[in-house]
Amino acid sequence: MQTFSKILSIAALTASLALGLGSIAKAEQKTDFKVAWSIYVGWMPWGYAADHGIVKKWADKYGIKIEVTQFNDYVESMNQYTAGAFDAVTLTNMDGLSIPAAGGVDTTAVIVGDFSNGNDAVILKDKASLADIKGQNVNLVEFSVSHYLLARALESIKLTERDVKVVNTSDADMVAAYKTADVTAVVTWNPLVSTILEDPTAKKVFDSSQVPGEIIDLMVANTGVLKDNPNFGKALAGIWYETAALLTADSADGKAAREAMGSASGTDLKGYESQLGVTKLFDKPADAVAFTSSDGLPKTMDLVRNFLFEKGLLGNGAPSADVIGIEMPDGKVLGDSGNVKLRFTETYMKAAADGSL
């Protein structure tokens, strides 16, 4: 676990990564793949699938091996992927652009798993109105989706970040930080939100359901690795949709799966199902394809890239939000078509929808 107030900011990290990562994770045909994930309601199926033979089943089908590793620190999982230690990682749409893409690693969203519909929240201590945030220190993972949510929350009441002071805090330290007397405002995600809200002083004053479809949870892979090893993408899709179907099943097996995922994320069945209730889960591939190909995705990514540009997270000296190209499933590109580093594809989700995995 890392305390991010004591290390380089993500902005500095991505700037340094951009200098030397062009050749990392060179594309080649291979049989062994490494996947990183971290604790979050919509990502728990990856750990469950690894523990219950679903990963092995789909890897065996395509004659490959897939090693799935859990990280306790979300940012570290992305850093390790960006450094080339992993072929795929769970992350959000915004973090995919600000860390691997801005770090020079061409990245493709293989699975659009869900979007946050209340799982990310602004929480105040002993204050029940968002307006009370003015003048407060706000603890969050700087430059993450929490930072983005804060910006959107402040915008909704005609405030800006100048009206608060952001305190960079690792997700691994967030719950402990809230318990200290000097922390009065936090922005974070589940299961941390649920844990913090157990404290009677904690009041949720804004959440991601007020900006639906903007915080999207993905399984992404290195584009070069995926291009040379399409069976890896097919296996990931097979793993996800088999596990997601179990997760949502109204059966004894489904309940057992939810209970196991809840326990693994530090809660119980009731707590995990509560988190699922504020998650728009794409358990059916056709729904994921429809969302990914909708007009809403380019609009969301435009909001996201402009936020990141304003924060200086698209590379040193970036002249505009157009510096990095973001490719949509139809081939249209937001930004520089000569520097595409983040791609959305329907390929593997559509194969699942068509029953052709």
Side-chain angles (χ1 to χ4, degrees):
M1 296 183 185
Q2 299 182 32
T3 304
F4 282 88
S5 60
K6 297 180 181 178
I7 65 171
L8 292 173
S9 72
I10 299 172
L13 173 66
T14 53
S16 65
L17 285 169
L19 297 176
L21 286 180
S23 62
I24 281 181
K26 289 181 180 177
E28 59 182 4
Q29 287 191 329
K30 58 183 193 172
T31 57
D32 289 54
F33 301 89
K34 296 178 70 177
V35 175
W37 72 283
S38 54
I39 297 289
Y40 175 70
V41 56
W43 295 331
M44 299 312 298
W46 294 103
Y48 182 89
D51 292 341
H52 291 80
I54 300 172
V55 169
K56 185 178 186 304
K57 169 188 168 181
W58 284 92
D60 286 351
K61 177 174 181 175
Y62 291 106
I64 60 177
K65 292 182 179 179
I66 299 176
E67 178 185 348
V68 176
T69 301
Q70 178 194 325
F71 279 76
N72 291 327
D73 191 304
Y74 170 54
V75 174
E76 182 61 17
S77 72
M78 294 185 289
N79 291 344
Q80 288 289 322
Y81 163 79
T82 303
F86 288 83
D87 301 294
V89 65
T90 54
L91 46 67
T92 68
N93 53 322
M94 194 190 88
D95 297 326
L97 183 58
S98 67
I99 297 185
V105 178
D106 194 328
T107 294
T108 296
V110 179
I111 304 293
V112 176
D114 70 84
F115 66 75
S116 176
N117 201 30
N119 263 311
D120 297 76
V122 180
I123 299 170
L124 300 185
K125 186 176 286 182
D126 290 322
K127 301 288 184 182
S129 170
L130 177 58
D132 292 323
I133 201 169
K134 188 173 182 178
Q136 294 203 43
N137 291 346
V138 183
N139 292 70
L140 51 76
V141 178
E142 195 172 18
F143 310 131
S144 73
V145 291
S146 295
H147 205 157
Y148 175 79
L149 187 68
L150 173 66
R152 296 287 277 138
L154 292 171
E155 183 182 288
S156 75
I157 55 171
K158 295 183 169 51
L159 295 180
T160 71
E161 205 173 311
R162 290 189 296 274
D163 295 302
V164 299
K165 181 182 178 183
V166 167
V167 179
N168 192 18
T169 308
S170 167
D171 56 317
D173 299 329
M174 196 67 68
V175 173
Y178 182 81
K179 293 177 180 177
T180 63
D182 58 342
V183 173
T184 59
V186 300
V187 189
T188 189
W189 52 79
N190 266 322
L192 307 179
V193 166
S194 295
T195 301
I196 291 169
L197 288 176
E198 290 172 1
D199 190 311
T201 68
K203 312 295 181 185
K204 181 171 69 174
V205 295
F206 190 89
D207 68 34
S208 51
S209 69
Q210 291 161 266
V211 286
E214 293 186 22
I215 298 176
I216 309 167
D217 301 306
L218 310 168
M219 170 61 78
V220 304
N222 179 284
T223 299
V225 170
L226 200 60
K227 182 179 178 182
D228 281 5
N229 302 274
N231 283 345
F232 177 46
K234 292 177 183 177
L236 290 175
I239 292 162
W240 171 257
Y241 290 112
E242 178 172 337
T243 314
L246 182 60
L247 167 65
T248 55
D250 185 16
S251 66
D253 287 344
K255 180 180 178 182
R258 292 189 293 277
E259 196 160 27
M261 292 184 210
S263 177
S265 64
T267 185
D268 55 14
L269 176 64
K270 182 180 178 182
Y272 188 66
E273 289 181 339
S274 175
Q275 291 174 34
L276 281 174
V278 287
T279 305
K280 173 54 181 175
L281 190 76
F282 293 117
D283 55 312
K284 295 179 176 61
D287 293 342
V289 170
F291 177 82
T292 307
S293 60
S294 72
D295 293 339
L297 183 60
K299 292 175 183 176
T300 289
M301 292 311 300
D302 192 46
L303 283 170
V304 165
R305 71 188 186 127
N306 279 290
F307 169 80
L308 293 174
F309 173 67
E310 290 167 7
K311 297 298 178 188
L313 294 174
L314 296 181
N316 280 341
S320 74
D322 286 333
V323 66
I324 296 173
I326 307 167
E327 186 178 82
M328 297 297 151
D330 62 3
K332 292 180 181 177
V333 175
L334 278 175
D336 186 354
S337 59
N339 186 39
V340 175
K341 295 298 180 188
L342 183 62
R343 305 168 194 267
F344 289 88
T345 181
E346 301 171 345
T347 302
Y348 304 99
M349 298 181 293
K350 193 170 188 306
D354 295 343
S356 58
L357 288 178

